[in-house]
Amino acid sequence: MKKLLVLTGGGDCPGLNAVIRAIVKRADLTGEWEVHGSLEAYNGILREPHEIIHLTEEVVSGIHAKGGTIIKTTTKGGPFNWPIQNEDGSWGSEDRSGWMIEELSKLGFEAVISIGGDGSQRISQQLFEKGLNIVGVPKTIDNDLAATDFTFGFQTAVEAATDAVDKLVTTAESHHRLMILEVMGRNAGWIALHSAIAGGAEVCLIPEIPYDIEIVKKRLEARYKDGKGFANVVIAEGAHPIDGSITSRKSEEVGYKNVRLGGVAYQLSSQLKDAGFTHDIREMVLGHLQRGGTPNPFDRVLATQFGVKAMEMVLDGNFGNMVVSRNNGIEVVSLKEATRENKNVDPESYLVNTARGVGISFGDI
Ligand code: F6P
């Protein structure tokens, strides 16, 4: 039997298990491939003894409806940045990619499918350049990968965010309050934009359109003046005022290189108070509720399509590429192209125009 290694890297995302299941089922149909999962992305290979599990049909049965990833994931470590502790107790890192590729070959793996976001796919490209037979599958709730129209997990995250808006609207109305909902998305405003439209917020603040606090205040006060007496804001975690920067903090976790966003809802709340907004405000940071739990049917279908196609790319020897969703179809792009740029909300797009058309303010005009 030929051996395939599957791994999930970066932040988790609803639909990862559906991809894993689809890969295993498609591989099983060939009768020639067996699939194994490395635990916590490449860490399962980099650690000794290795942490690898055999992904049989029985193991993946029924997991398409389950959130998270049965083979775990991580945002730390990786073959090019393996954390090592120096003698003085501080932490550094070393490149273990060459060793890892040799180890994979010794273990008999003929191909790897890496399911991950932009950071993970950059690692895939580097490993491909070093000779590894690798296929990429994109994932992120942020929907910010330029090469694909959609990533699985995004629609489920939008569903969670919209559900939060719906709930906050009722409590805002009862108390004549302004509710500020902070959603994820990193430097892209996709989750905020979709949930603001779906939930009917008055203001939507996204990183792509820096806001003017006076304009935001004016729009919100109008809701009280016109007799509605309450209002709802959806703000993306990466949003910032015209003359300000994003709210972030550095993580103390060893090996964690990402900048941690979050807290912008509280920042907006104090900016509004400082600007003279007098109505009661409550803030809500939705956080990881957008990432956990059951994937919705759209994400399960997309994830299954990606999994089947990725396995077929392995069968065709189509390495160094990533599966994507484009124009209602499943296509293949090179990892190089796939990782070239991120996808942000175009302020001139029809979706932004739609939001403006139903009176949503972005705090800019
Ligand atoms: O990229 C996905 C994402 O959920 C972002 O929206 C968010 O900023 C980040 O990951 C949170 O990362 P972590 O779970 O590592 O704190």
mmCIF file of all heavy atoms in Angstrom, residues 164 168 180-184 235 237 249 261-266 282-290:
data_model
loop_
_atom_site.group_PDB
_atom_site.id
_atom_site.type_symbol
_atom_site.label_atom_id
_atom_site.label_comp_id
_atom_site.label_asym_id
_atom_site.label_seq_id
_atom_site.Cartn_x
_atom_site.Cartn_y
_atom_site.Cartn_z
ATOM 1 N N ALA A 164 -25.576 35.969 16.749
ATOM 2 C CA ALA A 164 -25.250 36.902 17.844
ATOM 3 C C ALA A 164 -25.904 38.255 17.596
ATOM 4 O O ALA A 164 -26.467 38.859 18.514
ATOM 5 C CB ALA A 164 -23.731 37.043 17.967
ATOM 6 N N LEU A 168 -28.524 40.099 20.018
ATOM 7 C CA LEU A 168 -28.190 41.396 20.606
ATOM 8 C C LEU A 168 -29.215 42.460 20.232
ATOM 9 O O LEU A 168 -29.472 43.380 21.016
ATOM 10 C CB LEU A 168 -26.783 41.824 20.172
ATOM 11 C CG LEU A 168 -25.652 40.936 20.717
ATOM 12 C CD1 LEU A 168 -24.304 41.362 20.156
ATOM 13 C CD2 LEU A 168 -25.612 40.975 22.244
ATOM 14 N N ILE A 180 -22.407 46.662 20.880
ATOM 15 C CA ILE A 180 -21.272 46.570 19.942
ATOM 16 C C ILE A 180 -20.801 45.122 19.922
ATOM 17 O O ILE A 180 -20.392 44.586 20.950
ATOM 18 C CB ILE A 180 -20.102 47.473 20.387
ATOM 19 C CG1 ILE A 180 -20.568 48.935 20.488
ATOM 20 C CG2 ILE A 180 -18.930 47.344 19.411
ATOM 21 C CD1 ILE A 180 -19.488 49.879 21.047
ATOM 22 N N LEU A 181 -20.871 44.500 18.750
ATOM 23 C CA LEU A 181 -20.432 43.106 18.605
ATOM 24 C C LEU A 181 -19.104 43.069 17.853
ATOM 25 O O LEU A 181 -19.008 43.542 16.720
ATOM 26 C CB LEU A 181 -21.481 42.300 17.810
ATOM 27 C CG LEU A 181 -21.057 40.873 17.449
ATOM 28 C CD1 LEU A 181 -20.947 39.991 18.694
ATOM 29 C CD2 LEU A 181 -22.037 40.250 16.452
ATOM 30 N N GLU A 182 -18.095 42.497 18.492
ATOM 31 C CA GLU A 182 -16.784 42.346 17.830
ATOM 32 C C GLU A 182 -16.671 40.937 17.260
ATOM 33 O O GLU A 182 -16.869 39.952 17.971
ATOM 34 C CB GLU A 182 -15.666 42.583 18.846
ATOM 35 C CG GLU A 182 -14.288 42.331 18.271
ATOM 36 C CD GLU A 182 -13.192 42.582 19.307
ATOM 37 O OE1 GLU A 182 -13.291 43.551 20.095
ATOM 38 O OE2 GLU A 182 -12.238 41.784 19.331
ATOM 39 N N VAL A 183 -16.347 40.862 15.982
ATOM 40 C CA VAL A 183 -16.201 39.546 15.335
ATOM 41 C C VAL A 183 -14.764 39.366 14.838
ATOM 42 O O VAL A 183 -14.007 40.321 14.714
ATOM 43 C CB VAL A 183 -17.218 39.361 14.173
ATOM 44 C CG1 VAL A 183 -18.637 39.422 14.684
ATOM 45 C CG2 VAL A 183 -16.987 40.364 13.051
ATOM 46 N N MET A 184 -14.421 38.118 14.525
ATOM 47 C CA MET A 184 -13.059 37.802 14.063
ATOM 48 C C MET A 184 -12.872 38.178 12.593
ATOM 49 O O MET A 184 -13.770 38.732 11.967
ATOM 50 C CB MET A 184 -12.784 36.326 14.271
ATOM 51 C CG MET A 184 -12.456 35.951 15.704
ATOM 52 S SD MET A 184 -12.035 34.202 15.815
ATOM 53 C CE MET A 184 -11.267 34.143 17.423
ATOM 54 N N ILE A 235 -18.361 45.193 14.560
ATOM 55 C CA ILE A 235 -17.006 45.686 14.282
ATOM 56 C C ILE A 235 -16.054 44.503 14.119
ATOM 57 O O ILE A 235 -16.065 43.568 14.930
ATOM 58 C CB ILE A 235 -16.520 46.672 15.393
ATOM 59 C CG1 ILE A 235 -15.143 47.248 15.036
ATOM 60 C CG2 ILE A 235 -16.507 46.038 16.778
ATOM 61 C CD1 ILE A 235 -14.747 48.471 15.857
ATOM 62 N N GLU A 237 -12.476 42.667 14.264
ATOM 63 C CA GLU A 237 -11.378 42.811 15.240
ATOM 64 C C GLU A 237 -10.207 43.637 14.709
ATOM 65 O O GLU A 237 -9.440 44.207 15.475
ATOM 66 C CB GLU A 237 -10.884 41.433 15.684
ATOM 67 C CG GLU A 237 -10.325 40.588 14.545
ATOM 68 C CD GLU A 237 -9.871 39.197 14.970
ATOM 69 O OE1 GLU A 237 -9.966 38.865 16.148
ATOM 70 O OE2 GLU A 237 -9.423 38.440 14.082
ATOM 71 N N ARG A 249 -2.149 42.707 20.760
ATOM 72 C CA ARG A 249 -1.175 42.457 21.831
ATOM 73 C C ARG A 249 -0.277 41.316 21.390
ATOM 74 O O ARG A 249 -0.677 40.498 20.557
ATOM 75 C CB ARG A 249 -1.869 42.161 23.154
ATOM 76 C CG ARG A 249 -2.762 40.944 23.155
ATOM 77 C CD ARG A 249 -3.919 41.140 24.129
ATOM 78 N NE ARG A 249 -5.143 40.722 23.454
ATOM 79 C CZ ARG A 249 -5.858 39.671 23.802
ATOM 80 N NH1 ARG A 249 -5.499 38.943 24.821
ATOM 81 N NH2 ARG A 249 -6.947 39.333 23.142
ATOM 82 N N LEU A 261 -5.185 39.796 17.893
ATOM 83 C CA LEU A 261 -6.126 40.906 17.795
ATOM 84 C C LEU A 261 -7.210 40.713 18.854
ATOM 85 O O LEU A 261 -7.324 39.646 19.447
ATOM 86 C CB LEU A 261 -6.748 40.946 16.401
ATOM 87 C CG LEU A 261 -5.769 41.105 15.232
ATOM 88 C CD1 LEU A 261 -6.514 41.140 13.919
ATOM 89 C CD2 LEU A 261 -4.946 42.366 15.389
ATOM 90 N N GLY A 262 -8.038 41.731 19.034
ATOM 91 C CA GLY A 262 -9.143 41.584 19.984
ATOM 92 C C GLY A 262 -9.206 42.764 20.943
ATOM 93 O O GLY A 262 -8.176 43.327 21.330
ATOM 94 N N GLY A 263 -10.416 43.160 21.273
ATOM 95 C CA GLY A 263 -10.615 44.245 22.236
ATOM 96 C C GLY A 263 -11.077 45.536 21.593
ATOM 97 O O GLY A 263 -11.298 46.540 22.275
ATOM 98 N N VAL A 264 -11.270 45.498 20.276
ATOM 99 C CA VAL A 264 -11.630 46.713 19.558
ATOM 100 C C VAL A 264 -13.039 47.207 19.938
ATOM 101 O O VAL A 264 -13.324 48.411 19.865
ATOM 102 C CB VAL A 264 -11.454 46.459 18.037
ATOM 103 C CG1 VAL A 264 -12.547 45.600 17.468
ATOM 104 C CG2 VAL A 264 -11.318 47.731 17.273
ATOM 105 N N ALA A 265 -13.897 46.295 20.391
ATOM 106 C CA ALA A 265 -15.257 46.698 20.799
ATOM 107 C C ALA A 265 -15.177 47.650 21.991
ATOM 108 O O ALA A 265 -15.911 48.644 22.063
ATOM 109 C CB ALA A 265 -16.093 45.471 21.171
ATOM 110 N N TYR A 266 -14.261 47.350 22.916
ATOM 111 C CA TYR A 266 -14.101 48.208 24.098
ATOM 112 C C TYR A 266 -13.479 49.545 23.714
ATOM 113 O O TYR A 266 -13.818 50.587 24.255
ATOM 114 C CB TYR A 266 -13.250 47.496 25.150
ATOM 115 C CG TYR A 266 -13.949 46.262 25.672
ATOM 116 C CD1 TYR A 266 -13.691 45.002 25.136
ATOM 117 C CD2 TYR A 266 -14.920 46.375 26.664
ATOM 118 C CE1 TYR A 266 -14.364 43.876 25.583
ATOM 119 C CE2 TYR A 266 -15.605 45.250 27.122
ATOM 120 C CZ TYR A 266 -15.318 44.005 26.575
ATOM 121 O OH TYR A 266 -15.990 42.898 27.022
ATOM 122 N N ARG A 282 -23.181 48.452 25.610
ATOM 123 C CA ARG A 282 -22.640 47.177 26.079
ATOM 124 C C ARG A 282 -21.801 46.582 24.949
ATOM 125 O O ARG A 282 -22.143 46.727 23.766
ATOM 126 C CB ARG A 282 -23.747 46.191 26.458
ATOM 127 C CG ARG A 282 -24.521 46.586 27.701
ATOM 128 C CD ARG A 282 -23.662 46.516 28.962
ATOM 129 N NE ARG A 282 -24.438 46.777 30.177
ATOM 130 C CZ ARG A 282 -24.669 47.992 30.678
ATOM 131 N NH1 ARG A 282 -24.200 49.077 30.065
ATOM 132 N NH2 ARG A 282 -25.375 48.129 31.791
ATOM 133 N N GLU A 283 -20.705 45.928 25.337
ATOM 134 C CA GLU A 283 -19.788 45.366 24.336
ATOM 135 C C GLU A 283 -19.809 43.844 24.419
ATOM 136 O O GLU A 283 -20.006 43.293 25.502
ATOM 137 C CB GLU A 283 -18.347 45.840 24.592
ATOM 138 C CG GLU A 283 -18.179 47.327 24.806
ATOM 139 C CD GLU A 283 -18.556 47.772 26.224
ATOM 140 O OE1 GLU A 283 -18.764 46.909 27.090
ATOM 141 O OE2 GLU A 283 -18.656 48.986 26.456
ATOM 142 N N MET A 284 -19.603 43.203 23.297
ATOM 143 C CA MET A 284 -19.611 41.734 23.277
ATOM 144 C C MET A 284 -18.533 41.256 22.295
ATOM 145 O O MET A 284 -18.534 41.644 21.124
ATOM 146 C CB MET A 284 -21.008 41.293 22.822
ATOM 147 C CG MET A 284 -21.102 39.970 22.148
ATOM 148 S SD MET A 284 -21.559 38.741 23.362
ATOM 149 C CE MET A 284 -20.657 37.349 22.778
ATOM 150 N N VAL A 285 -17.602 40.468 22.788
ATOM 151 C CA VAL A 285 -16.551 39.917 21.916
ATOM 152 C C VAL A 285 -16.898 38.456 21.652
ATOM 153 O O VAL A 285 -16.868 37.635 22.568
ATOM 154 C CB VAL A 285 -15.160 40.043 22.574
ATOM 155 C CG1 VAL A 285 -14.077 39.475 21.663
ATOM 156 C CG2 VAL A 285 -14.860 41.507 22.916
ATOM 157 N N LEU A 286 -17.248 38.146 20.418
ATOM 158 C CA LEU A 286 -17.767 36.799 20.126
ATOM 159 C C LEU A 286 -16.671 35.727 20.159
ATOM 160 O O LEU A 286 -16.910 34.584 20.536
ATOM 161 C CB LEU A 286 -18.470 36.810 18.763
ATOM 162 C CG LEU A 286 -19.360 35.619 18.453
ATOM 163 C CD1 LEU A 286 -20.423 35.409 19.525
ATOM 164 C CD2 LEU A 286 -20.018 35.788 17.092
ATOM 165 N N GLY A 287 -15.465 36.101 19.752
ATOM 166 C CA GLY A 287 -14.308 35.204 19.879
ATOM 167 C C GLY A 287 -14.446 33.848 19.231
ATOM 168 O O GLY A 287 -15.020 33.712 18.145
ATOM 169 N N HIS A 288 -13.962 32.833 19.943
ATOM 170 C CA HIS A 288 -13.834 31.503 19.348
ATOM 171 C C HIS A 288 -15.153 30.770 19.169
ATOM 172 O O HIS A 288 -15.165 29.674 18.586
ATOM 173 C CB HIS A 288 -12.837 30.674 20.157
ATOM 174 C CG HIS A 288 -11.434 31.187 20.013
ATOM 175 N ND1 HIS A 288 -10.991 32.287 20.694
ATOM 176 C CD2 HIS A 288 -10.407 30.784 19.226
ATOM 177 C CE1 HIS A 288 -9.738 32.543 20.352
ATOM 178 N NE2 HIS A 288 -9.356 31.645 19.461
ATOM 179 N N LEU A 289 -16.258 31.362 19.630
ATOM 180 C CA LEU A 289 -17.565 30.749 19.323
ATOM 181 C C LEU A 289 -17.778 30.707 17.813
ATOM 182 O O LEU A 289 -18.566 29.921 17.308
ATOM 183 C CB LEU A 289 -18.701 31.551 19.972
ATOM 184 C CG LEU A 289 -18.819 31.430 21.484
ATOM 185 C CD1 LEU A 289 -19.918 32.338 22.009
ATOM 186 C CD2 LEU A 289 -19.124 29.984 21.869
ATOM 187 N N GLN A 290 -17.056 31.591 17.096
ATOM 188 C CA GLN A 290 -17.174 31.597 15.628
ATOM 189 C C GLN A 290 -16.404 30.450 14.980
ATOM 190 O O GLN A 290 -16.572 30.168 13.800
ATOM 191 C CB GLN A 290 -16.617 32.918 15.059
ATOM 192 C CG GLN A 290 -17.436 34.119 15.444
ATOM 193 C CD GLN A 290 -16.612 35.391 15.425
ATOM 194 O OE1 GLN A 290 -16.619 36.112 14.448
ATOM 195 N NE2 GLN A 290 -15.909 35.702 16.506
#
